[in-house]
Amino acid sequence: MSQSAWSVMPANALAHEPVLAHEVVALLDVAAGMTVVDGTFGAGGHAAMLAEQMHGRGAYVAIDRDPSVEARARAFRAAHPDMAVRLMKRDFVDAFRSLAVEGVRADAVLLDLGVSSMQIDQPERGFSYTVDAPLDMRMDPRDGETAADLLARLPERELAELFARYGEERYARPIAKAIGRRRRERPYERSADLVETIRRAIPTPAQFGAGHPAKRVFQALRIAVNDELTMVDEGLEAALAILKPGGRIAVISFHSLEDRIVKERFRRAAQPCTCPPDLPVCACRRQATLRVLTPRVIRPGAAEADRNPRAASSRLRAAERTAVPLGEAG
Ligand SMILES: C[S@@+](CC[C@H](N)C(=O)[O-])C[C@H]1O[C@@H](n2cnc3c(N)ncnc32)[C@H](O)[C@@H]1O
């Protein structure tokens, strides 16, 4: 769907199916009058469900680094006239930090990471390996290097590392070599050229294995272009700094690298005193700043995964801020 088509969408078109929505609503447990900070507003699907739970009253901060969500945010505001809706068109790390400086404190923070179906459905953004488009992949088209820039700039060795690390691509080296050869003739501009190089670089049986052969390389490039893992790590720290005691955070991630960061940060923040057990009194003075609400990661049920293919790889973790003073957040 084109950007202009989204911008003429009426408020009731907010009915897009958000991932693990019922689980998110149950875990965040919001109520009328609360302040919710949504770090990844996207198409506003979770926002619509949370606003309903808030009976349309309270404050909703809608953050997204993709400026094209503006029409959706305006429709959301129009649909909830009794709610203070604020749109921040920037990355969530930056937004959370500004909110902290302003003294805003949240009852709930939501992060639904990765790209939205809205972005994938805009072929000109270059996120999809199934349609030929410019190799862009920036969530914020106003800022930073495109995927084509990265493919032109990075040495073959670094490309191979990137594909292996962020895409868990088994054929990372042959693909990087093939890219090196191809770009000496002419630079990459379009996604179909890259898909073709990947197909040629991998053994024939692998081309017909699980999933599209270009899926992992595209994922790796998207993560690098948008600096996604740094965003998750720094975003969690900044989010915890604005959570009120008793406030809750829910994070949906779409691959193990992101989920590992979330799990580890929650685990560290939930850890009380770390002194050796034989020390008579605590010397570290550490207190748990979070209580983990999801001892086991939550995955979608078979029905949701079948209905909504984007949900299939999703995983949700949530935690509650303890009463430790905000300045001592771990
Ligand atoms: C999976 S979608 C969110 C969908 C949304 N929860 C819904 O129900 O419609 C992710 C959105 O987060 C945005 N996003 C991803 N990383 C971001 C970041 N670091 N800062 C701000 N927005 C980000 C993307 O632009 C995209 O619109």
Side-chain angles (χ1 to χ4, degrees):
M1 188 174 290
S2 74
Q3 217 163 315
S4 54
W6 286 109
S7 60
V8 294
M9 222 161 242
N12 62 8
L14 288 171
H16 125 101
E17 189 180 346
V19 169
L20 290 166
H22 295 288
E23 292 83 349
V24 165
V25 170
L27 283 162
L28 287 181
D29 194 25
V30 294
M34 285 188 169
T35 297
V36 175
V37 177
D38 182 343
T40 49
F41 180 77
H46 286 106
M49 294 190 68
L50 291 167
E52 192 180 326
Q53 180 86 357
M54 293 159 79
H55 300 285
R57 292 200 305 278
Y60 204 95
V61 184
I63 301 164
D64 205 296
R65 73 199 306 196
D66 183 343
S68 77
V69 305
E70 185 158 6
R72 288 274 169 160
R74 267 195 269 115
F76 176 71
R77 183 184 287 135
H80 301 96
D82 296 330
M83 194 144 78
V85 178
R86 171 174 176 191
L87 173 64
M88 297 175 86
K89 286 183 280 181
R90 46 178 132 158
D91 75 66
F92 53 66
V93 178
D94 191 28
F96 294 157
R97 287 179 182 156
S98 325
L99 292 170
V101 171
E102 286 175 35
V104 174
R105 295 291 177 260
D107 295 284
V109 174
L110 172 62
L111 287 176
D112 175 17
L113 301 167
V115 272
S116 65
S117 32
M118 204 162 106
Q119 288 164 330
I120 291 172
D121 291 344
Q122 293 170 9
E124 69 277 11
R125 307 289 298 270
F127 288 111
S128 173
Y129 38 78
T130 56
V131 259
D132 185 28
L135 275 167
D136 190 322
M137 297 199 199
R138 289 169 303 169
M139 288 184 199
D140 182 349
R142 301 164 298 189
D143 193 28
E145 278 186 306
T146 64
D149 294 336
L150 275 189
L151 286 173
R153 181 176 64 78
L154 292 181
E156 275 173 37
R157 186 182 41 79
E158 284 181 40
L159 281 176
E161 275 169 21
L162 194 146
F163 301 153
R165 181 148 183 263
Y166 294 167
E168 297 175 78
E169 171 56 63
R170 195 168 155 203
Y171 301 104
R173 273 165 173 272
I175 293 171
K177 256 183 174 301
I179 290 173
R181 270 197 306 274
R182 157 67 168 73
R183 74 183 177 190
R184 281 193 282 279
E185 290 160 23
R186 87 198 126 91
Y188 281 96
E189 284 171 8
R190 308 207 42 105
S191 53
D193 293 340
L194 179 59
V195 171
E196 181 58 21
T197 305
I198 296 166
R199 277 193 198 283
R200 284 167 185 261
I202 63 178
T204 314
Q207 294 186 23
F208 303 101
H212 193 284
K215 183 178 166 188
R216 290 172 295 278
V217 167
F218 271 63
Q219 171 182 299
L221 283 170
R222 198 204 76 212
I223 291 175
V225 164
N226 296 291
D227 202 9
E228 291 179 30
L229 299 183
T230 311
M231 285 282 164
V232 179
D233 197 32
E234 294 184 1
L236 285 173
E237 183 175 339
L240 298 188
I242 56 166
L243 259 193
K244 287 180 189 169
R248 292 182 168 195
I249 177 167
V251 187
I252 302 173
S253 46
F254 290 87
H255 51 81
S256 52
L257 297 169
E258 275 171 353
D259 183 53
R260 213 172 297 150
I261 296 173
V262 182
K263 180 179 171 185
E264 187 47 29
R265 189 163 274 278
F266 279 8
R267 191 191 62 75
R268 277 205 315 273
Q271 200 173 44
C273 164
T274 52
C275 293
D278 55 349
L279 213 66
V281 280
C282 169
C284 73
R285 306 188 57 186
R286 204 190 143 80
Q287 286 173 279
T289 50
L290 277 186
R291 180 169 74 87
V292 175
L293 301 171
T294 47
R296 292 175 63 136
V297 72
I298 295 179
R299 306 288 311 250
E304 179 172 1
D306 285 349
R307 203 173 54 240
N308 181 3
R310 208 183 84 75
S313 58
S314 65
R315 29 207 125 182
L316 166 66
R317 294 185 188 272
E320 183 178 275
R321 190 84 169 72
T322 62
V324 172
L326 284 169
E328 295 173 27

